[in-house]
Amino acid sequence: ADRKALLAPCSRVHVPFVGRARLAPRCQSATTVQAEPTTTAVPPHHFQPFKAAIDFKYMKENLQAVEQNTKNRASNANPRKAVELYDEFVRLKSETDRLRAERNSNSAQMKGKLEKEQRDQLIAKGQQLKEELAVIEEKLAQVESQMQYEGQRVPNLTHPAVPIGGEENAAVLNMIGSQQQFGFTPKDHVAIAEALDMVDFDSASEVSGQKFYYLRNAGALLELALVNWAMTKVVAKHGFTPLMTPDLVKASVLEKCGFQPRGTETQVYSIQDSQLCLTGTAEVPLGGVYMDKVLKESDLPIKMAAFGHCFRTEAGAAGAAGKGLYRVHQFSKVEMFVLCTPAQSEALHEELRQIEVELFSELGLHFKVLDMPSCDLGAPAYRKFDVEAWMPGLNRYGEISSASNCTDYQSRRLNIRYRPSSQGHSDSDDGSSSDGSGAKQGGKKGGKKGGGSSDRGTEFVYTLNATACAVPRMIVAILENFQQEDGSVIVPEPLRPFLGGMEVIKPPARKAGH
């Protein structure tokens, strides 16, 4: 899950990476969050500009609302600065167009037979226009880069039903099941797993460092069972296309997934002397599958489910919340990702939520579904549901999954479009150009809730993502909820076919002489 634990520009230098919800700055009230000064800033050296199709015109016309939304989400983005840069961009673009038209007119006058003096005047004028244009074009490129940098930091709009404030304001949508009752003092998953020889933290710390682990014996089999069970359910019953994704992705794809940094703590592992990064979630390579494509409306929604490995530095994570398998640097996950039309997105978000409820109910877990508040949303999310399961050994609820509707925030950066069937054009082609600003490429809420069509009659898809199974936390929940007084653990019935019929996890038999 951990939807907020992602993603900002990464390269061989350490770059800010959006922290986990639990690690993000405490949300201040909307009246106390201060906007940054509106002076033009130079983008940081690691910023590699790309032209996101952000609707700066909408941002300008609705600046007060966009600023309030930014404050509600405790973001340090500055929409006012972005709008000021947009105004400067428009002015310079107009001046550039004027100079180009004048240069073309001057060139046209040189055609045909002219007196030497007249031709010399036109040549001198042409040289002057060329020099003026070069100066303006250079400044235009600088302002465009700054405008894109500031615009890309502005978070998505927020669903009107989302609670405003910090994590304590999360709204409980569902409470499923009840807490397990024990006739003994329940142990935490670390004690259970080590006693059952399911995990080896000590060897992993010597080999890889803290927050790594070996899964052994039933622990290794349980991971495979969870992955196969989750993938089978979402593919066979819910129609998702199964994929195995790369663990390494280009830094540019991370950026285009639209997650913005908050603070200096980094969550990304980057590869030295390379533009590749270890991905923190399969959401990123899944988002990249249709990058720069125009899809058929009849093919939407596209539902994909991927098994992938996730890598996170977990900078700043410590204490009980980071004990054992709950917060680790590497783990396996089954991720669901959907591309759809704007009209389909609300129903699909609810469908993803119901799939998660179905999966975790089937395992017999006690959990609650939360509508997460504004300060707990990562920059791309318009709305996010979290699932928190009761973990008796930790004596608290812990997040095991989330489901986010990102509207067209990611697709405007990844340039994923669809052609509405009513357009009557060819249904599918690759790529699409945008103007220099990325402005007014679509609907009035560009990059936010609205869809919007480009000048080619296409619209941006909406993207949604949800976690079917984050393996380590599922292991935590299973071990702690289904532990027995003798130290064994009852295997949830749906997993037994994937464990060779194993019903109870017991300590492995010791070999003779050991």
Side-chain angles (χ1 to χ4, degrees):
D2 297 3
R3 193 60 45 203
K4 198 174 177 186
L6 308 174
L7 305 163
C10 73
S11 65
R12 59 174 174 262
V13 296
H14 275 228
V15 179
F17 200 64
V18 172
R20 261 289 296 130
R22 305 295 190 268
L23 305 177
R26 295 293 296 173
C27 182
Q28 305 173 58
S29 72
T31 57
T32 61
V33 176
Q34 299 297 316
E36 297 176 359
T38 57
T39 55
T40 299
V42 177
H45 69 279
H46 62 260
F47 178 67
Q48 300 295 322
F50 61 90
K51 294 179 182 178
I54 298 168
D55 194 340
F56 289 96
K57 186 173 184 292
Y58 171 83
M59 194 182 298
K60 178 180 179 178
E61 293 172 349
N62 300 272
L63 182 57
Q64 185 174 354
V66 175
E67 284 187 314
Q68 186 61 55
N69 179 70
T70 301
K71 292 177 181 179
N72 288 345
R73 295 171 69 124
S75 169
N76 60 6
N78 195 328
R80 186 170 297 273
K81 184 186 293 185
V83 167
E84 290 176 354
L85 289 163
Y86 171 64
D87 287 340
E88 178 68 1
F89 173 86
V90 171
R91 185 188 70 79
L92 290 171
K93 185 73 164 55
S94 178
E95 179 66 10
T96 300
D97 292 342
R98 183 190 68 79
L99 287 172
R100 285 173 179 163
E102 190 173 346
R103 183 186 62 180
N104 292 340
S105 175
N106 185 79
S107 297
Q109 294 177 50
M110 295 178 65
K111 295 179 179 179
K113 192 173 182 180
L114 298 171
E115 296 293 334
K116 183 179 185 304
E117 181 179 355
Q118 187 178 7
R119 182 175 293 278
D120 289 344
Q121 289 176 350
L122 291 172
I123 290 174
K125 179 66 173 176
Q127 183 62 33
Q128 177 188 345
L129 289 170
K130 179 181 179 181
E131 292 172 357
E132 289 180 14
L133 188 58
V135 171
I136 294 294
E137 286 178 333
E138 181 179 358
K139 189 171 183 181
L140 178 66
Q142 292 174 350
V143 170
E144 180 184 7
S145 178
Q146 294 165 352
M147 178 185 70
Q148 281 286 325
Y149 170 69
E150 295 296 341
Q152 289 174 30
R153 297 172 63 219
V154 177
N156 203 345
L157 292 182
T158 307
H159 191 287
V162 168
I164 303 301
E167 189 176 346
E168 66 280 3
N169 299 112
V172 178
L173 301 178
N174 302 93
M175 184 71 78
I176 309 297
S178 58
Q179 294 182 16
Q180 293 281 2
Q181 300 300 313
F182 298 95
F184 58 94
T185 302
K187 300 176 182 178
D188 67 29
H189 71 279
V190 176
I192 299 168
E194 289 182 334
L196 294 174
D197 198 17
M198 295 176 63
V199 66
D200 183 353
F201 293 109
D202 294 337
S203 296
S205 67
E206 293 295 326
V207 172
S208 303
Q210 295 299 314
K211 297 187 185 297
F212 288 95
Y213 56 95
Y214 286 96
L215 290 177
R216 294 169 46 84
N217 301 309
L221 295 176
L222 185 56
E223 165 157 332
L224 296 174
L226 283 164
V227 168
N228 280 282
W229 163 77
M231 188 68 85
T232 299
K233 291 286 292 185
V234 299
V235 171
K237 183 174 181 179
H238 298 286
F240 284 74
T241 299
L243 288 88
M244 306 288 281
T245 58
D247 293 333
L248 288 166
V249 295
K250 294 178 180 178
S252 59
V253 179
L254 292 178
E255 293 174 309
K256 289 176 182 179
C257 281
F259 297 88
Q260 300 292 337
R262 295 184 186 179
T264 58
E265 292 180 340
T266 178
Q267 289 282 9
V268 67
Y269 287 107
S270 55
I271 308 302
Q272 188 172 5
D273 299 324
S274 169
Q275 286 301 307
L276 294 174
C277 303
L278 287 167
T279 185
T281 170
E283 172 189 343
V284 180
L286 287 175
V289 169
Y290 291 97
M291 183 168 59
D292 297 322
K293 297 291 192 301
V294 178
L295 306 171
K296 301 177 184 179
E297 182 178 11
S298 59
D299 286 340
L300 298 175
I302 294 173
K303 302 195 292 185
M304 299 176 282
F307 167 75
H309 299 106
C310 307
F311 302 87
R312 303 177 185 179
T313 69
E314 295 294 355
K323 185 179 181 181
L325 293 172
Y326 189 84
R327 194 178 299 283
V328 291
H329 291 311
Q330 176 183 343
F331 61 96
S332 301
K333 181 161 68 102
V334 176
E335 181 78 359
M336 298 177 285
F337 192 85
V338 179
L339 305 175
C340 66
T341 68
Q344 295 168 335
S345 70
E346 291 278 350
L348 283 164
H349 196 200
E350 178 61 22
E351 179 182 331
L352 291 173
R353 177 165 75 108
Q354 292 303 324
I355 290 173
E356 292 178 333
V357 169
E358 175 191 322
L359 289 170
F360 307 137
S361 296
E362 188 174 298
L363 292 181
L365 298 176
H366 165 52
F367 59 93
K368 56 184 177 180
V369 182
L370 305 173
D371 195 352
M372 298 309 291
S374 58
C375 289
D376 205 69
L377 302 179
Y382 175 63
R383 191 179 193 182
K384 178 167 77 88
F385 303 133
D386 275 8
V387 177
E388 295 187 352
W390 176 247
M391 299 178 177
L394 297 178
N395 195 35
R396 63 178 178 83
Y397 290 93
E399 183 187 342
I400 60 171
S401 183
S402 68
S404 297
N405 183 352
C406 296
T407 66
D408 60 356
Y409 191 94
Q410 293 175 321
S411 63
R412 285 179 174 270
R413 289 153 172 77
L414 291 163
N415 190 29
I416 309 175
R417 306 167 184 261
Y418 75 97
R419 193 180 305 283
S421 300
S422 60
Q423 294 291 335
H425 298 297
S426 172
D427 275 343
S428 181
D429 60 319
D430 289 349
S432 180
S433 61
S434 64
D435 69 12
S437 69
K440 207 58 185 174
Q441 287 298 298
K444 63 182 181 179
K445 298 184 179 180
K448 309 300 185 292
K449 183 178 180 294
S453 59
S454 76
D455 55 1
R456 299 183 61 189
T458 60
E459 298 187 10
F460 289 100
V461 302
Y462 275 23
T463 64
L464 302 95
N465 60 74
T467 300
C469 178
V471 171
R473 293 192 183 181
M474 294 299 290
I475 292 177
V476 172
I478 288 170
L479 295 184
E480 294 193 1
N481 279 284
F482 304 124
Q483 60 181 296
Q484 305 298 300
E485 189 169 9
D486 64 359
S488 64
V489 174
I490 301 296
V491 176
E493 190 169 343
L495 298 180
R496 294 175 187 177
F498 302 95
L499 284 165
M502 183 188 301
E503 298 181 0
V504 181
I505 300 174
K506 300 177 179 179
R510 294 187 176 275
K511 295 181 180 179
H514 291 270

